[in-house]
Amino acid sequence: MANPNPLMAKSSGTDAAVQSALRTLDAEGSGIAAITAALQSDLHAPFTAAADLIRNAKGRLIVTGLGKSGHIGRKVAATFASTGTPAFFVHAAEASHGDLGMITADDVILALSWSGEQPEMKNLISYAARFRISVIAMTAERESSLAKAADIALTLPKAREACPHNLAPTTSSLMMLALGDALAIALLEGRGFTSTDFSVLHPGGKLGAMLKYTRDLMHASDAVPLKPLGTKMSDALVEMTSKGFGCVGIVDARGHIVGIVTDGDLRRHMGPDLMTATVDEVMTKNPKTIDRDVLAGEALEILNSSKITTLIVTDAGKPVGIVHLHDFLRAGVA
């Protein structure tokens, strides 16, 4: 009997993998949907109370957990810290070996445990009770030791794991992560945490670059190609060529930007009279401009959506700089 086509066998294996992935996503999506429903019913009041408790805390948010819950806890703590809620992660087992000293009476503990029965958390919960440190439990078991010991219990709805044996933490881990993110964003919005605040905490990498301001990337002063209304195109072309941005901004008598002449305008008006014409006849009126205090990420979005490569930077309608797509590339924004 001939061997089966290896390509068909490979395709069959790939199809099985995709079907497995779809089942996983469906199961995990059901978990998120269950949280959404719970927040509109039983979870509504404790979630609000937890947000208020963390917001009004004098100290920091201490996130703790073990195993997969611990891994989720580390990420949740990082999200809180990066969005304006001072937070860090303490491993529940390490807490019993000296790390309890990291927790003060002014802090709030957010303890993650799907079962709510990890014995390693006992000493941490006892420490919290001794020093009257508020505890928020995130668990699926309303009657668990953790939930009963906590000041506020965020009880997650029951959900089947994506694992076919209903054993490996998958759906449950995603649900804890989602509820942690929801709590962090609720606090972010409640505090009025802005993109400017965010940039202070994210100065590095591409994210840090996107949180720079247009003023940080723009070319200013004599580098900006500008000519007044009434300028002959021959002079405007010299300005375009010497400044190297492929355009020249046109200003009125008050110094306000009223137009721009680009390479595209030159092509559209190409003819024997082009060099003797004035910029008024060739320019694109009311060009797109950008304020100097706009974030670099937003400026890049304007360039991409408008399919242009340069923007005149203005302050109160007057040109103060110019940015080119290459400036964003060099800064690591694009």
Side-chain angles (χ1 to χ4, degrees):
M1 182 175 179
N3 290 330
N5 188 322
L7 292 177
M8 290 182 64
K10 182 177 180 180
S11 176
S12 176
T14 302
D15 289 343
V18 169
Q19 292 305 312
S20 174
L22 291 172
R23 287 193 296 272
T24 297
L25 294 173
D26 183 62
E28 295 190 339
S30 297
I32 300 299
I35 295 177
T36 301
L39 278 168
Q40 298 173 51
S41 55
D42 295 346
L43 194 52
H44 184 284
F47 184 90
T48 301
D52 289 340
L53 180 61
I54 297 170
R55 183 185 299 109
N56 296 323
K58 294 180 181 179
R60 304 144 303 171
L61 177 65
I62 311 301
V63 185
T64 188
L66 294 119
K68 300 300 186 293
S69 295
H71 293 308
I72 296 300
R74 289 183 186 276
K75 190 275 175 188
V76 168
T79 299
F80 274 108
S82 69
T83 54
T85 300
F88 65 87
F89 178 80
V90 172
H91 193 281
E94 293 294 338
S96 298
H97 298 276
D99 284 0
L100 284 173
M102 298 179 179
I103 307 172
T104 74
D106 290 331
D107 297 334
V108 172
I109 296 173
L110 173 61
L112 280 63
S113 171
W114 188 255
S115 70
E117 297 294 349
Q118 278 99 339
E120 295 91 341
M121 276 197 182
K122 181 179 178 180
N123 289 336
L124 191 152
I125 297 303
S126 297
Y127 179 85
R130 178 183 176 187
F131 292 99
R132 298 183 179 180
I133 301 169
S134 297
V135 175
I136 301 168
M138 187 184 294
T139 178
E141 300 295 339
R142 191 182 305 275
E143 299 302 316
S144 65
S145 300
L146 177 61
K148 289 181 177 180
D151 298 274
I152 300 170
L154 299 175
T155 306
L156 290 157
K158 299 293 180 61
R160 182 177 177 81
E161 301 289 6
C163 164
H165 311 298
N166 197 31
L167 294 173
T170 44
T171 306
S172 58
S173 296
L174 181 63
M175 290 172 70
M176 297 180 90
L177 176 61
L179 189 59
D181 283 346
L183 191 54
I185 299 306
L187 286 161
L188 176 155
E189 293 180 347
R191 286 194 172 96
F193 191 79
T194 67
S195 58
T196 301
D197 300 321
F198 198 78
S199 68
V200 172
L201 302 178
H202 297 78
K206 182 174 181 178
L207 183 56
M210 291 184 72
L211 292 170
K212 290 181 182 292
Y213 291 95
T214 305
R215 62 174 180 264
D216 299 322
L217 304 178
M218 72 181 190
H219 304 265
S221 302
D222 293 339
V224 186
L226 295 172
K227 282 294 181 181
L229 286 169
T231 300
K232 286 187 176 181
M233 279 302 302
S234 56
D235 295 332
L237 186 57
V238 171
E239 181 76 354
M240 288 177 64
T241 304
S242 63
K243 299 297 174 66
F245 289 100
C247 67
V248 56
I250 309 302
V251 294
D252 62 16
R254 299 177 299 164
H256 290 175
I257 190 80
V258 293
I260 191 170
V261 177
T262 67
D263 291 334
D265 293 316
L266 293 180
R267 288 191 295 273
R268 283 188 289 273
H269 291 83
M270 187 62 66
D273 300 327
L274 176 60
M275 290 299 101
T276 57
T278 64
V279 293
D280 311 47
E281 303 169 66
V282 177
M283 71 181 189
T284 297
K285 297 180 180 179
N286 302 316
K288 286 187 179 294
T289 61
I290 193 165
D291 190 88
R292 57 185 296 152
D293 294 324
V294 169
L295 288 172
E298 184 179 342
L300 179 61
E301 174 60 27
I302 293 172
L303 286 174
N304 288 332
S305 61
S306 302
K307 297 181 181 180
I308 55 178
T309 58
T310 55
L311 278 170
I312 300 290
V313 183
T314 60
D315 183 11
K318 294 184 178 181
V320 294
I322 186 170
V323 286
H324 191 280
L325 179 61
H326 292 165
D327 298 319
F328 296 95
L329 293 171
R330 282 190 290 268
V333 180

